[in-house]
Amino acid sequence: VKQEEPERPKKKARTSQGPKSEPSISKGKRSCNVEWALNLGSLEVVAYSTMKLEGGASFQGEDGTMGPLLRSSGRLELKWAVETKKGRPGVGMGKETGQVHFEVNGKTVGKFPSWTSKALVPLLARKLIDAEAVVGKDPPRALDLGTNIPVLVYISLRSSALRTPGQMQSLGNQEGAGKSSLGNQEG
């Protein structure tokens, strides 16, 4: 099925009277709806466990083999919760904070330190960055509460981070995004 091209308006002929005027360009909203992500780099985080696990326990991995729950370079699913704290009156807006937890095979295994969560949660909640996490080198086999877990976090800047607020609102209306929702979010 061929699409018919709309008729283009005919060009006006320039006259020799008066100065040449530039054609006016309509200031309609133009936006590029192409989503992209730019890899910013990686961050090594020493997270800590929030569960107990015996050293001899065996779990099925992504590749179907049995082994320890935490495997080097094994994928972690990130979850975060946004908490908004009110600021002092007259000082400014409140702070967005929260915690970043990670799961393996549907089990919450641990969470990031507060300094990492304070940096990542506001950016993740506003969908300005993407974060993917994998288990770092030499993960522990047995877990106790507070056991250190090496995590490697890959961070990418999303195209939405470089849009103006007006562009964000118009895209939000088109895609159903832009609605603020608090609570558990998936990364």
Side-chain angles (χ1 to χ4, degrees), residues 95-113:
K95 293 182 177 181
E96 279 185 348
T97 61
Q99 281 294 323
V100 178
H101 298 267
F102 53 93
E103 296 181 355
V104 177
N105 294 340
K107 296 180 183 185
T108 301
V109 177
K111 64 182 183 176
F112 287 177

Side-chain angles (χ1 to χ4, degrees), residues 30-49:
R30 294 183 193 178
S31 64
C32 181
N33 292 335
V34 176
E35 289 292 324
W36 52 265
L38 174 67
N39 183 19
L40 293 179
S42 60
L43 174 68
E44 291 183 39
V45 177
V46 178
Y48 55 94
S49 66

Side-chain angles (χ1 to χ4, degrees), residues 88-182:
R88 294 188 313 220
V91 175
M93 295 174 50
K95 293 182 177 181
E96 279 185 348
T97 61
Q99 281 294 323
V100 178
H101 298 267
F102 53 93
E103 296 181 355
V104 177
N105 294 340
K107 296 180 183 185
T108 301
V109 177
K111 64 182 183 176
F112 287 177
S114 62
W115 67 268
T116 307
S117 295
K118 285 180 185 178
L120 293 177
V121 168
L123 299 172
L124 288 166
R126 292 183 185 133
K127 298 181 180 180
L128 300 177
I129 64 169
D130 285 328
E132 295 180 21
V134 295
V135 180
K137 293 181 182 178
D138 301 322
R141 289 185 171 267
L143 296 176
D144 203 1
L145 295 178
T147 302
N148 289 344
I149 301 172
V151 176
L152 189 59
V153 183
Y154 297 99
I155 306 213
S156 300
L157 181 70
R158 295 181 69 170
S159 59
S160 59
L162 302 178
R163 291 194 180 114
T164 61
Q167 288 174 325
M168 292 294 289
Q169 288 175 351
S170 67
L171 287 176
N173 292 338
Q174 291 173 359
E175 299 173 6
K179 298 176 183 175
S180 64
S181 59
L182 300 178

Side-chain angles (χ1 to χ4, degrees), residues 54-72:
E54 296 295 323
S58 197
F59 297 88
Q60 186 172 2
E62 294 173 355
D63 57 358
T65 61
M66 298 301 284
L69 182 64
L70 298 175
R71 303 174 192 206
S72 285

